Amino acid sequence: MDATVKPIKKDISEPKPVARPSRAQAEEAVRTLLAWAGEDVTREGLLETPKRVAKAYEEFFEGYNLDAEEVLNKTFRDVGGYDDMVLVKDIPFFSHCEHHMVPFVGKAHIAYLPTDSVVGLSKLGRVTDVFAKRFQTQENLTQQIIDAINDNLNPRGAAVMLEAEHMCMSLRGVKKHGATTLTQRFTGVFAEEPKEQDRFFHLLALQK
Protein backbone atom coordinates (compact mmCIF):
# COMPACT_ATOMS: atom_id res chain seq x y z
CA MET A 1 0.00 0.00 0.00
CA ASP A 2 1.49 3.33 -1.06
CA ALA A 3 1.79 6.01 1.59
CA THR A 4 1.81 9.74 1.03
CA VAL A 5 3.49 12.02 3.55
CA LYS A 6 2.49 15.66 3.43
CA PRO A 7 4.72 18.55 4.50
CA ILE A 8 4.06 19.40 8.13
CA LYS A 9 2.66 22.87 8.64
CA LYS A 10 1.88 24.63 11.89
CA ASP A 11 -1.34 23.46 13.53
CA ILE A 12 -3.40 26.64 14.02
CA SER A 13 -5.27 24.97 16.86
CA GLU A 14 -2.09 24.57 18.92
CA PRO A 15 -2.09 26.59 22.16
CA LYS A 16 0.26 29.53 22.47
CA PRO A 17 3.56 28.70 24.17
CA VAL A 18 3.58 29.47 27.89
CA ALA A 19 6.34 29.67 30.46
CA ARG A 20 5.92 26.48 32.47
CA PRO A 21 6.76 26.36 36.17
CA SER A 22 9.39 23.89 37.30
CA ARG A 23 8.54 20.37 38.48
CA ALA A 24 9.37 21.47 42.03
CA GLN A 25 6.95 24.40 41.77
CA ALA A 26 4.22 22.09 40.49
CA GLU A 27 4.74 19.71 43.40
CA GLU A 28 4.65 22.60 45.86
CA ALA A 29 1.34 23.73 44.34
CA VAL A 30 -0.09 20.28 45.06
CA ARG A 31 1.04 20.54 48.69
CA THR A 32 -0.65 23.92 48.90
CA LEU A 33 -3.95 22.50 47.62
CA LEU A 34 -3.76 19.56 50.02
CA ALA A 35 -3.14 21.89 52.95
CA TRP A 36 -5.95 24.20 51.78
CA ALA A 37 -8.31 21.19 51.71
CA GLY A 38 -7.47 20.57 55.37
CA GLU A 39 -4.83 17.83 55.11
CA ASP A 40 -1.58 17.38 56.98
CA VAL A 41 0.91 17.25 54.11
CA THR A 42 3.57 15.73 56.37
CA ARG A 43 1.67 12.53 57.10
CA GLU A 44 3.05 9.34 55.59
CA GLY A 45 0.29 8.74 53.06
CA LEU A 46 0.76 12.15 51.44
CA LEU A 47 4.53 12.49 51.40
CA GLU A 48 4.87 11.20 47.83
CA THR A 49 1.52 12.52 46.59
CA PRO A 50 2.87 15.74 45.03
CA LYS A 51 5.34 13.73 42.92
CA ARG A 52 2.64 11.28 41.89
CA VAL A 53 0.24 14.05 40.93
CA ALA A 54 2.89 15.81 38.83
CA LYS A 55 3.69 12.54 37.07
CA ALA A 56 0.00 11.86 36.48
CA TYR A 57 -0.45 15.33 35.01
CA GLU A 58 2.30 14.62 32.49
CA GLU A 59 0.16 11.75 31.23
CA PHE A 60 -3.25 13.42 31.57
CA PHE A 61 -2.13 16.48 29.60
CA GLU A 62 0.39 15.09 27.14
CA GLY A 63 -1.76 16.58 24.38
CA TYR A 64 0.05 19.88 24.87
CA ASN A 65 3.18 18.15 23.56
CA LEU A 66 1.46 16.50 20.58
CA ASP A 67 0.72 17.85 17.10
CA ALA A 68 -2.41 16.83 15.18
CA GLU A 69 -0.71 17.43 11.84
CA GLU A 70 2.06 15.01 12.67
CA VAL A 71 -0.53 12.40 13.64
CA LEU A 72 -2.46 12.80 10.36
CA ASN A 73 0.53 13.45 8.13
CA LYS A 74 0.78 9.98 6.57
CA THR A 75 -2.03 8.95 4.20
CA PHE A 76 -2.60 6.04 1.80
CA ARG A 77 -3.75 6.35 -1.81
CA ASP A 78 -3.73 2.67 -2.80
CA VAL A 79 -7.24 1.83 -1.54
CA GLY A 80 -8.75 0.26 -4.65
CA GLY A 81 -10.71 3.38 -5.54
CA TYR A 82 -12.64 3.38 -2.26
CA ASP A 83 -14.32 6.77 -1.76
CA ASP A 84 -17.25 6.02 0.54
CA MET A 85 -17.63 6.85 4.23
CA VAL A 86 -14.94 5.86 6.69
CA LEU A 87 -16.39 5.68 10.19
CA VAL A 88 -14.68 4.80 13.45
CA LYS A 89 -17.12 4.79 16.32
CA ASP A 90 -16.95 4.29 20.07
CA ILE A 91 -13.46 5.75 20.43
CA PRO A 92 -13.01 6.04 24.20
CA PHE A 93 -11.54 9.28 25.52
CA PHE A 94 -11.17 11.25 28.71
CA SER A 95 -10.49 14.92 29.11
CA HIS A 96 -10.56 17.53 31.87
CA CYS A 97 -13.02 20.38 32.19
CA GLU A 98 -11.18 23.68 31.96
CA HIS A 99 -13.68 25.28 34.37
CA HIS A 100 -13.33 22.88 37.33
CA MET A 101 -10.28 20.75 36.41
CA VAL A 102 -12.24 17.51 36.82
CA PRO A 103 -12.61 14.77 34.19
CA PHE A 104 -15.24 14.21 31.57
CA VAL A 105 -15.29 10.76 29.99
CA GLY A 106 -16.98 9.41 26.91
CA LYS A 107 -16.83 8.17 23.33
CA ALA A 108 -16.05 9.84 20.02
CA HIS A 109 -17.54 8.88 16.66
CA ILE A 110 -15.62 10.18 13.65
CA ALA A 111 -16.43 9.83 9.95
CA TYR A 112 -15.12 11.33 6.74
CA LEU A 113 -15.59 10.96 3.01
CA PRO A 114 -12.11 10.64 1.45
CA THR A 115 -11.09 12.64 -1.58
CA ASP A 116 -8.10 10.69 -2.92
CA SER A 117 -6.50 9.07 0.14
CA VAL A 118 -7.27 7.69 3.58
CA VAL A 119 -5.51 7.80 6.92
CA GLY A 120 -4.71 4.85 9.16
CA LEU A 121 -7.73 4.06 11.33
CA SER A 122 -5.80 4.31 14.58
CA LYS A 123 -4.93 7.91 13.72
CA LEU A 124 -8.52 9.00 14.34
CA GLY A 125 -8.16 7.74 17.89
CA ARG A 126 -4.78 9.42 18.23
CA VAL A 127 -6.00 12.79 16.97
CA THR A 128 -8.85 12.60 19.49
CA ASP A 129 -6.28 12.20 22.26
CA VAL A 130 -4.18 15.10 20.96
CA PHE A 131 -6.99 17.48 21.89
CA ALA A 132 -8.72 15.51 24.66
CA LYS A 133 -5.54 15.39 26.74
CA ARG A 134 -5.73 19.11 27.42
CA PHE A 135 -8.00 21.28 29.52
CA GLN A 136 -11.16 21.47 27.43
CA THR A 137 -14.81 22.07 26.91
CA GLN A 138 -16.65 19.37 24.98
CA GLU A 139 -17.80 21.89 22.40
CA ASN A 140 -14.27 23.06 21.71
CA LEU A 141 -12.96 19.50 21.62
CA THR A 142 -15.54 18.57 18.97
CA GLN A 143 -14.56 21.55 16.83
CA GLN A 144 -10.82 20.93 17.14
CA ILE A 145 -11.12 17.30 16.04
CA ILE A 146 -13.13 18.10 12.93
CA ASP A 147 -10.91 21.06 12.07
CA ALA A 148 -7.84 18.81 12.22
CA ILE A 149 -9.47 16.26 9.93
CA ASN A 150 -10.51 18.91 7.42
CA ASP A 151 -7.17 20.72 7.47
CA ASN A 152 -5.06 17.60 7.07
CA LEU A 153 -7.12 15.10 5.06
CA ASN A 154 -9.07 17.49 2.81
CA PRO A 155 -12.12 15.20 2.80
CA ARG A 156 -15.32 15.82 0.87
CA GLY A 157 -17.01 15.95 4.24
CA ALA A 158 -16.48 15.08 7.89
CA ALA A 159 -18.68 14.27 10.87
CA VAL A 160 -17.78 14.20 14.55
CA MET A 161 -20.02 13.32 17.49
CA LEU A 162 -18.93 13.18 21.12
CA GLU A 163 -20.95 11.80 24.01
CA ALA A 164 -19.60 12.19 27.52
CA GLU A 165 -20.41 12.37 31.20
CA HIS A 166 -18.97 15.38 33.00
CA MET A 167 -17.79 14.93 36.56
CA CYS A 168 -18.27 18.65 37.18
CA MET A 169 -22.00 17.93 36.75
CA SER A 170 -22.04 14.47 38.36
CA LEU A 171 -19.92 15.04 41.48
CA ARG A 172 -20.58 18.70 42.29
CA GLY A 173 -23.14 21.41 41.58
CA VAL A 174 -26.41 19.80 40.49
CA LYS A 175 -24.92 16.29 41.08
CA LYS A 176 -26.84 14.61 38.24
CA HIS A 177 -24.99 11.33 37.90
CA GLY A 178 -25.38 9.61 34.54
CA ALA A 179 -26.36 12.67 32.52
CA THR A 180 -24.82 12.52 29.04
CA THR A 181 -23.82 15.48 26.89
CA LEU A 182 -23.85 15.15 23.09
CA THR A 183 -22.05 17.48 20.70
CA GLN A 184 -21.72 17.16 16.93
CA ARG A 185 -20.26 18.94 13.93
CA PHE A 186 -20.73 18.32 10.22
CA THR A 187 -18.77 19.81 7.33
CA GLY A 188 -18.76 19.46 3.56
CA VAL A 189 -21.12 16.84 2.16
CA PHE A 190 -22.29 15.88 5.65
CA ALA A 191 -23.43 19.45 6.26
CA GLU A 192 -24.93 19.96 2.80
CA GLU A 193 -26.77 16.66 2.29
CA PRO A 194 -29.17 15.47 5.03
CA LYS A 195 -29.07 11.93 3.62
CA GLU A 196 -25.39 11.69 4.51
CA GLN A 197 -26.13 12.78 8.06
CA ASP A 198 -28.91 10.19 8.20
CA ARG A 199 -26.49 7.51 6.99
CA PHE A 200 -23.98 8.55 9.66
CA PHE A 201 -26.59 8.25 12.41
CA HIS A 202 -27.87 4.95 10.99
CA LEU A 203 -24.38 3.43 11.09
CA LEU A 204 -23.89 4.63 14.65
CA ALA A 205 -27.12 2.90 15.66
CA LEU A 206 -26.18 -0.49 14.17
CA GLN A 207 -25.65 -3.25 16.70
CA LYS A 208 -22.07 -4.40 17.13
Side-chain angles (χ1 to χ4, degrees), residues 18 36 38 54 89 153:
V18 296
W36 180 82
K89 61 182 182 178
L153 302 184

Side-chain angles (χ1 to χ4, degrees), residues 89-93 105-109 138 161-164 208:
K89 61 182 182 178
D90 297 330
I91 302 169
F93 75 88
V105 180
K107 297 181 292 185
H109 314 291
Q138 186 172 328
M161 174 184 283
L162 304 185
E163 49 182 301
K208 299 178 181 61

